[in-house]
Amino acid sequence: MSVTAAAGFEAAGVAAGIKANGHRDLALVVNRGPRHEAAAVFTTNRCEANPVRWSRAAVADGRADAVVLNSGCANCYTGEQGYQAARATAQAVADAIGCRVDDVAVCSTGIIGHQLPLDRVLPGVAAAAAELDVGGGPRAAEAIMTTDTRVKQAEERSPAGWTVGGMAKGAGMIAPGMATMLVVITTDAVVNAEALHRHLVAAADRTVNRLDVDGCMSTNDTVVLLSSGASGVTPDPEEFRMALTAVADRLAAAIQDDAEGASHTIDIEVVGAASEPDAIEVARAIGRSNLFKCAIAGGDPNWGRVLAAVGTTRAAFDPFDIDVTINGTRICHAGAPDADPATVDLAPRATHVLVDLRTGDHTGMVRTTDLTHEYVDINSEYES
Amino acid sequence: MSVTAAAGFEAAGVAAGIKANGHRDLALVVNRGPRHEAAAVFTTNRCEANPVRWSRAAVADGRADAVVLNSGCANCYTGEQGYQAARATAQAVADAIGCRVDDVAVCSTGIIGHQLPLDRVLPGVAAAAAELDVGGGPRAAEAIMTTDTRVKQAEERSPAGWTVGGMAKGAGMIAPGMATMLVVITTDAVVNAEALHRHLVAAADRTVNRLDVDGCMSTNDTVVLLSSGASGVTPDPEEFRMALTAVADRLAAAIQDDAEGASHTIDIEVVGAASEPDAIEVARAIGRSNLFKCAIAGGDPNWGRVLAAVGTTRAAFDPFDIDVTINGTRICHAGAPDADPATVDLAPRATHVLVDLRTGDHTGMVRTTDLTHEYVDINSEYES
């Protein structure tokens, strides 16, 4: 159940000394082929990190032989020196595994505004290359963790004989247009780069792009999808997209569940919308309300804060014809009080908010979490 | 230094029993004339509270004789019953002071989704009317407090013989398009309603509309401006606008300084922008970054989180040509590290963030605060 679940992939995760605590901090995922098709989607933050700038160009031709990822340093706002550091990292991988430098994608996560310590990264790449293994997925998943408290992996196996596997990291700075989220998904299905890209965009749109832990869009978000074709099986496109979406969705749910300081996960489902964009806009607005997120942390099913968030959107709705249901209890009907909020059970960690706009038949879902002391602690203490 | 500082105004603040704690919770401000010119601006939240619906219509004709305000209940999402409760409150004031019901503005703040307890509000109106006094401003200012920890008042006296005075409440749910902010400003200058409206829109745009404590737009925000003309002096329009803006700005600063749980106020100044809207958009984006606000709470001048927020805007800028200065120390130059962030002194409560987009010569400022444990506490414990 890892990034090496699909045939044709090897991975490693080593401690290169980038993190001060000595934990694993450098991961390498290598596609041994026979095919080397690739696609990727990136943050839409205009202040993008150097590894994003590098990888966007590297994957543009639809080929990647490897992805190298480090935690402990985002290599963002590090100027030309930082861009050259991303390039040097890719070159070290290319030298170690024997491929072209521009067939290596680079991902970084960690502190912004610090130069990548190449004196540790380059030996780390060599060490990782020496440990590459078909069983290396879990170690790679461990090496990309920052404030994550557990590794995040997922896998789908098709009866047709192909597999999709993946790993992710991400716990904070999680907002649409992805997150401080690095995701690598691999498959041995035979799918060309153009189709990979199409499937990846569709899958990301419904999964990682609907996570919003803190409304803060990252500079480093990257999702890379690699295909080795090693199963020799060309999948049914619909089945492949579903499997890919399932893996991405499970990784997104794992990020939500491990979100910084969260005491509740909150799935915000909007129904009865005039369009899907309306549903998503409303769900996002609720998911970004600090007041609502604090209320859930305190066990208060505060539907007034839900409607206050809905009122900031451009979606079609009538304020006097909205229903809000939390964990199965409808506490607002037609924009006015319904069942007693005291009857809502907020003890479970998983929280479900259902908003019915009663305008159309479109739906949408956004995943978020509550806002707690621990979120503040983690983000107050994380050093510059 | 209060809402009764200008000649022609009386006010009162009483405990009507709307708040469970027995504190003052009903305020009345009455304009004794000779003129009764009025203007108001309201929340742009589409889910607006019943008192907003009532007052928008009441003030539309440019006349108001009184403003009645209650804390303890927002009268929002309370349906037709709630609208009738706002009207009944206005009628009680009209009966008590002898004016038309639609010359009474109504403002409410407090819990959403609860019906206004008219059995307490109506006797409260009678009690307040009986206590109306030219020295009643401070008691009125006390009666509109919710999670505010102190009263908020301001005053400007013109050498020409007229005065502008005001009061405000607001501590959370503070976002552009105002805040859960109720403001009443009075003047004895002779200014007609049309000019009052023009000056109020201009003053609000640069003051209360540039406060963003938590990104949560309220359903009840109201700023009412009343002119009695009792000074007999027609002011210089420019001087009047400056005085009005100064009062509104001081009230906005008081709200910022009393923001829920804040350990730092943060003034975000953007310079070098291609336009003023660009400057404001960038300042707002920074002011809404939970990550940045947590960093300041923790004493960490995290300029990377500043740039990550800038990158989410549509403003004109080059990510490799931005400077960030915090409390006088430039720690980011041309999008890369500059002075050591450890040299930034974040001990003072007042924090100044200066972002130079180096694109044009427009500027803009937004006021916010940091994000602390106490903010989470206040908003977790505030009951539905």
Side-chain angles (χ1 to χ4, degrees), chain B residues 107-133:
Chain B
C107 302
S108 298
T109 178
I111 298 170
I112 284 177
H114 287 227
Q115 294 293 346
L116 194 67
L118 277 183
D119 58 329
R120 296 170 191 182
V121 170
L122 300 185
V125 168
E131 292 188 19
L132 282 168
D133 189 85

Side-chain angles (χ1 to χ4, degrees), chain B residues 38-304:
Chain B
V41 290
F42 300 94
T43 180
T44 56
N45 195 306
R46 293 167 62 199
C47 290
E48 60 186 17
N50 281 306
V52 171
R53 295 175 65 216
W54 170 264
S55 299
R56 203 186 282 282
V59 180
D61 65 356
R63 174 169 181 144
D65 290 50
V67 185
V68 58
L69 313 92
N70 75 274
S71 54
C73 175
N75 191 11
C76 183
Y77 311 131
T78 45
E80 182 59 20
Q81 182 184 342
Y83 186 76
Q84 292 306 329
R87 189 184 203 293
T89 306
Q91 185 67 60
V93 172
D95 293 345
I97 68 167
C99 73
R100 291 170 32 153
V101 62
D102 55 7
D103 287 332
V104 179
V106 180
C107 302
S108 298
T109 178
I111 298 170
I112 284 177
H114 287 227
Q115 294 293 346
L116 194 67
L118 277 183
D119 58 329
R120 296 170 191 182
V121 170
L122 300 185
V125 168
E131 292 188 19
L132 282 168
D133 189 85
V134 294
R139 289 188 293 279
E142 191 187 323
I144 59 176
M145 292 165 63
T146 55
T147 54
D148 305 67
T149 65
R150 36 186 188 277
V151 299
K152 298 169 180 70
Q153 304 181 104
E155 171 188 323
E156 284 282 310
R157 289 194 183 273
S158 166
W162 50 265
T163 296
V164 177
M167 66 178 187
K169 69 78 50 178
M173 210 187 237
I174 302 289
M178 293 190 278
T180 298
M181 172 196 300
L182 303 181
V183 179
V184 180
I185 300 175
T186 56
T187 183
D188 47 20
V190 178
V191 188
N192 68 36
E194 186 275 321
L196 282 182
H197 185 75
R198 209 160 7 98
H199 292 309
L200 180 59
V201 167
D205 183 51
R206 303 197 144 258
T207 58
V208 290
N209 283 352
R210 296 200 182 167
L211 260 178
D212 193 332
V213 168
D214 55 13
C216 293
M217 188 193 290
S218 165
T219 50
N220 287 57
D221 303 326
T222 303
V223 180
V224 181
L225 172 60
L226 305 175
S227 165
S228 68
S231 70
V233 180
T234 301
D236 172 72
E238 189 55 32
E239 188 193 352
F240 180 76
R241 183 173 294 191
M242 281 177 62
L244 177 64
T245 303
V247 167
D249 192 50
R250 232 165 300 143
L251 294 173
I255 291 172
Q256 176 193 30
D257 197 44
D258 196 25
E260 289 174 346
S263 66
H264 291 83
T265 60
I266 310 175
D267 289 354
I268 301 164
E269 187 181 356
V270 175
V271 301
S275 68
E276 189 180 3
D278 268 17
I280 296 299
E281 181 185 358
V282 166
R284 280 201 205 290
I286 298 165
R288 287 194 177 174
S289 166
N290 280 354
L291 287 172
F292 176 66
K293 288 150 73 92
C294 285
I296 295 298
D300 172 12
N302 196 313
W303 60 269

Side-chain angles (χ1 to χ4, degrees), chain A residues 45-46 300 313 315 373 377 384, chain B residues 46 300 308 313 315 373 377 384:
Chain A
N45 196 308
R46 292 166 62 200
D300 172 12
T313 70
H373 273 199
D377 283 341
S384 238
Chain B
R46 293 167 62 199
D300 172 12
T313 71
H373 272 200
D377 283 341
S384 238

Side-chain angles (χ1 to χ4, degrees), chain A residues 258-311:
Chain A
D258 195 25
E260 288 174 347
S263 66
H264 292 83
T265 60
I266 309 175
D267 289 354
I268 300 164
E269 188 181 355
V270 175
V271 301
S275 69
E276 189 179 4
D278 268 16
I280 296 300
E281 183 185 357
V282 167
R284 280 201 205 289
I286 299 165
R288 286 192 178 176
S289 167
N290 280 353
L291 288 173
F292 176 66
K293 290 151 71 93
C294 285
I296 295 297
D300 172 12
N302 197 313
W303 61 269
R305 294 176 180 176
V306 172
L307 291 206
V310 176

